[in-house]
Amino acid sequence: MDAPEPEATPFSAVTAQTSRVSRAYQSYLDKSTPYVTYRWIGTGVLLLVFLLRIVLSEGWYIVCYSLGIYLLNLFLAFLQPKFDPSLSQDEGLEDGDSMKSPLPTTRDEEFRPFIRRLPEFKFWHSATRAITIAFACTWSELFNVPVFWPVLVVYWIILFTLTSKFPVLVA
């Protein structure tokens, strides 16, 4: 018949609030999807404010370095194809089918367009979220680890050149 209503626990109240906030957040993300240029301008401004905070405070270089490596990783994932044609070529060699071309040669073969490993929207969302988290970390002394920043810059440049060389050679 009529079942008694379950008692409202603090956990259920927190869960209800969390789901309401996540629905509102997802709604804003969905509304921002068609505005690619404005999203990237906002992310660029956020990155500029973050870098200005790093330069003016003369600290948190390790946070900046970590953000740079993460953004480099995202950028490389954005540039790479989801399905690597070089790996599909290697599969044919194991079976002895070395004459098979990765490109379609007849009309019957399927055309596979370039699909990114990391779509643009996910790239933007991950980059913006990372910049926001890094900016929040610059307000805590816990993350202000004393390091000699020129070493980090040189190391990041070396990492950039080594990791960027491979995707350029593949393309």
Side-chain angles (χ1 to χ4, degrees):
M1 302 213 191
D2 288 333
E5 290 186 25
E7 293 182 25
T9 63
F11 180 73
S12 64
V14 168
T15 305
Q17 282 291 80
T18 304
S19 64
R20 187 177 67 78
V21 168
S22 69
R23 279 195 311 271
Y25 178 69
Q26 187 62 45
S27 172
Y28 286 124
L29 283 178
D30 293 341
K31 289 176 185 176
S32 72
T33 302
Y35 305 106
V36 177
T37 306
Y38 296 118
R39 284 189 284 124
W40 282 106
I41 288 173
T43 301
V45 167
L46 188 63
L47 182 64
L48 189 66
V49 168
F50 169 75
L51 293 175
L52 195 63
R53 165 93 173 123
I54 295 295
V55 169
L56 293 178
S57 65
E58 297 178 355
W60 292 277
Y61 299 119
I62 200 77
V63 173
C64 187
Y65 174 74
S66 302
L67 177 66
I69 287 188
Y70 183 71
L71 292 179
L72 176 65
N73 186 22
L74 286 177
F75 183 65
L76 291 175
F78 175 71
L79 291 180
Q80 292 174 350
K82 186 172 187 176
F83 306 106
D84 193 3
S86 65
L87 296 178
S88 63
Q89 286 174 342
D90 294 342
E91 289 174 3
L93 294 176
E94 292 175 0
D95 301 333
D97 188 17
S98 62
M99 299 304 290
K100 189 173 181 182
S101 171
L103 298 175
T105 55
T106 64
R107 290 181 182 226
D108 297 335
E109 291 185 34
E110 180 182 348
F111 170 71
R112 291 182 11 198
F114 182 78
I115 300 172
R116 296 184 186 281
R117 192 167 62 137
L118 182 66
E120 181 272 333
F121 185 80
K122 287 184 179 182
F123 176 37
W124 167 79
H125 186 246
S126 297
T128 305
R129 191 172 44 197
I131 294 168
T132 304
I133 291 169
F135 186 72
C137 287
T138 62
W139 294 99
S140 171
E141 281 295 321
L142 177 69
F143 299 106
N144 192 9
V145 179
V147 292
F148 188 57
W149 67 266
V151 173
L152 293 179
V153 171
V154 169
Y155 187 58
W156 190 88
I157 290 171
I158 290 170
L159 255 167
F160 177 77
T161 55
L162 290 177
T163 55
S164 297
K165 206 181 284 187
F166 178 71
V168 170
L169 293 176
V170 170

